[in-house]
Amino acid sequence: MSTPRTLAESTTLRIGGPASAWVVARTESELVLAVTRADAEGIPVLLVGGGSNLLVSDEGFAGTVVEIATRGLAADTDESGATVTIAAGENWDTVLAHLVTRGWAGVEALSGIPGRTGATPIQNVGAYGQEVSQVVHSVRVLDRTTGAVRRLDNAACGFGYRTSVFKRDPARWVVLSVSMRLISGGRGFVRYAELAQEMGVSVGDEASLADIRAAVLVLRGRKGMVLEDADHDTWSAGSFFTNPIVTDEVAVAIAADCPRYPAAEGVKLSAAWLIENAGIAKGFALAADSRAAISSKHTLALTNRGNAHAADILDLASAVTTRVRDAFGIELDIEPTLVGLER
Ligand code: EPU
């Protein structure tokens, strides 16, 4: 089954030309077959889930898009919780709504994130004090170097801030399903200051999963991070830059009001703060009639104001990184995957 369409129709940035071929994989075996067949024939493959982390060239993709549309959720329950296995193609937020209804805790703060479940371990999705790496039990994958289907346990996934073995070696792995270990009881902990403030509780307090989910959806909506057709602030790939992790020496030189968080290899600084304090305000665009602009609700989101080309986004990204480099000597890294493009 092949349905050629443009990547603009399948990405949240709504940018990108057509693909040479398009396969919608609705079962795991269709997914494995589509990728292994293309690999055997030497045809490039672009895996697309929700398209929420992709910036694709206007020329499109000279190869086969394999759209991950697999479905299924199975729960293995015990006295303390559940091990839930979710097909890669399941819409992440639909899954979250279900998990919260079942009272299973561990990912409620990741509510409202666009995209499909299989993408979440790849960039170790995180928000409001949780990261999927904290609950991933194992990930079932196709290893394209051998054609074998394997299960990687949490340690083998090599998780870090917005990274994993899947992100480091994208040509090797296809995520087929994700198993997560969740805790029963319907309550979770609030671990992010802004979320606690929104809920009128303190960091570390307990709250119902439904209340946490509702508050996260309000916060994300306010930041333009919940997809909304009519709101161009949401035509984005979420955070376009990761928060830079710098050494203690670099961090002390940055003004104290820049939010910072401890990280494995140093200090994580707020990229949004650095961008704003380098002189780029919310809503910034390179020209009055630019088709790309910084979101008017969050400086980390680069947005398509309608009919933007990939180059418009890249030019804006380059202006942001230049200004931050000039102001602070810090190099911002791009978070979304670039397809057919170079920075
Ligand atoms: N800030 C600004 N300007 C803004 C927004 C934020 O100066 O427009 C400053 C504020 O001082 C704020 C601080 O940055 O206190 C942190 O902002 P926020 O809580 O929005 O978090 P973030 O670090 O900008 C990260 C993730 C988001 C995630 C939020 C909430 C990354 C790259 N981004 O953003 O994830 O939703 O935390 O936990 O780590 C994504 O990765 O696509 C994403 C949306």
Side-chain angles (χ1 to χ4, degrees):
M1 183 173 35
S2 183
T3 330
R5 289 156 55 190
T6 68
L7 272 309
E9 293 167 77
S10 314
T11 54
T12 54
L13 267 167
R14 305 184 194 216
I15 293 171
S20 316
W22 197 295
V23 177
V24 181
R26 292 199 165 80
T27 64
E28 189 178 291
S29 48
E30 283 177 10
L31 177 52
V32 169
L33 192 65
V35 175
T36 49
R37 189 175 282 169
D39 284 350
E41 291 170 8
I43 298 169
V45 171
L46 175 62
L47 298 164
V48 176
S52 53
N53 207 43
L54 288 179
L55 174 56
V56 185
S57 122
D58 298 291
E59 276 69 58
F61 184 69
T64 301
V65 164
V66 177
E67 186 182 329
I68 301 174
T70 52
R71 305 295 303 272
L73 183 150
D76 192 2
T77 55
D78 54 48
E79 61 290 340
S80 63
T83 303
V84 183
T85 300
I86 308 150
E90 285 284 350
N91 177 280
W92 175 250
D93 195 53
T94 308
V95 168
L96 275 221
H98 175 73
L99 299 178
V100 166
T101 307
R102 298 293 302 262
W104 290 329
V107 282
E108 57 284 351
L110 306 179
S111 292
I113 292 178
R116 297 186 191 167
T117 303
T120 62
I122 298 173
Q123 55 160 334
N124 185 14
V125 159
Y128 301 102
Q130 286 180 339
E131 280 186 349
V132 287
S133 60
Q134 295 161 336
V135 297
V136 165
H137 172 265
S138 61
V139 179
R140 193 173 147 88
V141 288
L142 166 68
D143 180 348
R144 293 168 69 184
T145 62
T146 60
V149 171
R150 297 168 52 188
R151 183 170 289 282
L152 301 188
D153 66 12
N154 184 295
C157 294
F159 289 121
Y161 167 59
R162 288 294 188 280
T163 194
S164 68
V165 287
F166 317 116
K167 177 103 182 184
R168 290 183 206 106
D169 198 357
R172 178 164 181 190
W173 308 104
V174 181
V175 173
L176 302 174
S177 67
V178 183
S179 296
M180 301 187 302
R181 178 68 203 161
L182 304 172
I183 304 301
S184 53
R187 297 183 70 76
F189 291 98
V190 178
R191 300 204 189 276
Y192 199 81
E194 190 189 17
L195 178 60
Q197 195 181 356
E198 175 69 24
M199 298 179 72
V201 301
S202 301
V203 172
D205 281 358
E206 251 188 53
S208 82
L209 300 183
D211 286 352
I212 295 174
R213 173 170 167 79
V216 166
L217 289 174
V218 168
L219 286 178
R220 291 190 70 91
R222 221 181 269 154
K223 294 180 191 181
M225 297 282 184
V226 178
L227 299 182
E228 182 86 56
D229 277 357
D231 182 358
H232 282 277
D233 277 336
T234 75
W235 293 29
S236 78
S239 301
F240 199 84
F241 302 101
T242 51
N243 288 327
I245 296 175
V246 300
T247 60
D248 293 342
E249 295 77 62
V250 172
V252 290
I254 307 290
D257 62 333
C258 174
R260 60 197 70 208
Y261 321 91
E265 307 100 24
V267 182
K268 188 158 80 178
L269 299 175
S270 160
W273 185 97
L274 293 170
I275 294 168
E276 285 193 19
N277 287 271
I280 293 189
K282 295 186 180 74
F284 173 91
L286 288 170
D289 59 352
S290 287
R291 293 166 296 201
I294 301 286
S295 159
S296 71
K297 303 186 182 81
H298 198 296
T299 28
L300 267 192
L302 271 53
T303 63
N304 174 358
R305 309 318 291 186
N307 302 316
H309 296 291
D312 298 320
I313 300 284
L314 285 182
D315 288 348
L316 180 59
S318 152
V320 170
T321 48
T322 302
R323 292 229 198 155
V324 168
R325 186 187 308 123
D326 290 349
F328 301 108
I330 292 174
E331 204 58 46
L332 290 181
D333 278 338
I334 286 180
E335 193 193 48
T337 301
L338 304 183
V339 178
L341 298 166
E342 275 173 47
R343 303 181 56 169

